Amino acid sequence: MNELVSASPLPSGLMAGWPAALELGYAVVQGRTVPVHRRHQGPLRVQKHFIDGHGQCQHIVVHPPGGMAGGDRLTLDIDLAAGSQVLLTSPGAAKWYDGFGRASSQQLRVEQQPGSLLEWLPQETILYAGSVVALDNRFQLQGDARLLSGEVMCLGRPASAERFDRGCWQQGSEVWRDDKLLWCEHSHVPGDSPLLASPVGMGGHSVLASLLWAGPALPPELHQACLALPCAGRAAASQLPGLWLARFIGDSAEAAHHWLRACRDLIYPFSHGRAASQPRIWAS
């Protein structure tokens, strides 16, 4: 991936950044989903897995440094075998610091075999002023594999009177099924972009959240129930061919999570066939 900005005042010893990679593989063993492959390089790990009463494997992805500095590169490769059910989350916010002109990146690659079901629900991502960040997500679904993916993006730190007024946020998201593209979105938002204040963009707000479901179309009454959820911001949802997408814009990561998890609770009996439960780490 090309750097977004080339100049940097950092000492030459810090120019290279800190790369980290994590590979995870899951399969069904005796009716339960268990990790069957785990490989890491650098500071990117998972905590010990937890298997719930329905056989779903829950894993917490951990980046021990606690934040990404200029030049850092994270790579995650996740593979779900047929029939496996996995929930992946994180212990806290992902912080992307001022890169002093150096770009940082995260690349997520997911392969799902037929009958598998993945929940990708990390905690919020916080972009500090001056961060130059490229995020790239690609989900490859085969057959009737299903995906529930949610994210909360925070631009700047309003509580510290810090606006995202310099730097750059670049993000690409793709969902494929049987090698056919279902969803493709690419964003390029510099810190001084008019879209941050425009009513057709962020409208002056600092927090954006989304929840994507790739699977059978939601029943109309369930779609309407999600639209009717109260929220401390603005929210909308659309049923598209092959996937359902809901979005929130506001000024609070807490409010964004509250909305996202309320949507998840509503659709969970349809998507999973049971009532939703919360990962333990979300209560800590």
Side-chain angles (χ1 to χ4, degrees):
M1 182 175 295
N2 294 329
E3 295 176 358
L4 301 179
V5 180
S6 58
S8 173
L10 289 176
S12 59
L14 299 179
M15 292 286 284
W18 197 356
L22 179 65
E23 298 175 6
L24 298 172
Y26 301 90
V28 178
V29 178
Q30 298 181 346
R32 305 190 306 166
T33 298
V34 297
V36 294
H37 174 74
R38 182 176 63 188
R39 180 181 180 185
H40 74 266
Q41 176 186 358
L44 196 56
R45 312 289 178 90
V46 284
Q47 295 182 355
K48 181 175 176 59
H49 67 280
F50 167 74
I51 301 176
D52 69 14
H54 303 279
Q56 181 192 58
C57 182
Q58 298 182 9
H59 243 159
I60 300 172
V61 179
V62 180
H63 183 245
M68 277 59 72
D72 289 354
R73 303 180 303 280
L74 306 183
T75 304
L76 296 93
D77 289 285
I78 300 164
D79 185 82
L80 273 67
S84 53
Q85 295 193 21
V86 178
L87 184 152
L88 293 172
T89 187
S90 58
K95 304 178 184 70
W96 297 79
Y97 300 130
D98 187 339
F100 297 98
R102 292 289 293 177
S104 303
S105 66
Q106 176 177 291
Q107 185 180 76
L108 170 67
R109 294 289 181 265
V110 175
E111 295 279 347
Q112 291 185 235
Q113 298 305 312
S116 64
L117 173 55
L118 172 66
E119 290 186 76
W120 172 254
L121 298 168
Q123 303 276 32
E124 66 268 24
T125 296
I126 303 175
L127 303 185
Y128 282 51
S131 59
V132 180
V133 179
L135 308 175
D136 187 38
N137 301 330
R138 185 182 177 99
F139 300 91
Q140 291 271 12
L141 282 60
Q142 302 298 328
D144 61 349
R146 293 160 291 161
L147 167 70
L148 186 62
S149 174
E151 65 177 7
V152 174
M153 184 70 61
C154 304
L155 304 178
R157 297 176 298 157
S160 300
E162 178 187 280
R163 297 172 52 245
F164 186 69
D165 53 6
R166 55 191 176 87
C168 187
W169 166 36
Q170 180 172 295
Q171 181 160 341
S173 299
E174 296 182 3
V175 179
W176 296 72
R177 186 180 298 280
D178 297 328
D179 299 321
K180 294 182 179 179
L181 186 62
L182 290 181
W183 172 253
C184 178
E185 181 177 52
H186 290 271
S187 304
H188 182 88
V189 184
D192 59 355
S193 172
L195 283 175
L196 295 175
S198 171
V200 299
M202 291 293 292
H205 298 290
S206 61
V207 177
L208 171 69
S210 63
L211 183 65
L212 183 148
W213 161 248
L218 292 191
E221 62 273 16
L222 192 49
H223 172 78
Q224 292 300 322
C226 290
L227 290 176
L229 284 171
C231 67
R234 294 186 292 135
S238 298
Q239 178 66 60
L240 304 170
L243 59 85
W244 178 83
L245 179 67
R247 282 213 162 117
F248 165 97
I249 291 178
D251 294 299
S252 163
E254 182 179 2
H257 280 302
H258 181 79
W259 166 85
L260 190 153
R261 292 167 187 176
C263 282
R264 174 180 177 263
D265 289 350
L266 277 178
I267 71 174
Y268 216 82
F270 175 79
S271 63
H272 289 68
R274 59 182 183 271
S277 59
Q278 307 294 329
R280 295 175 179 177
I281 193 68
W282 289 359
S284 64

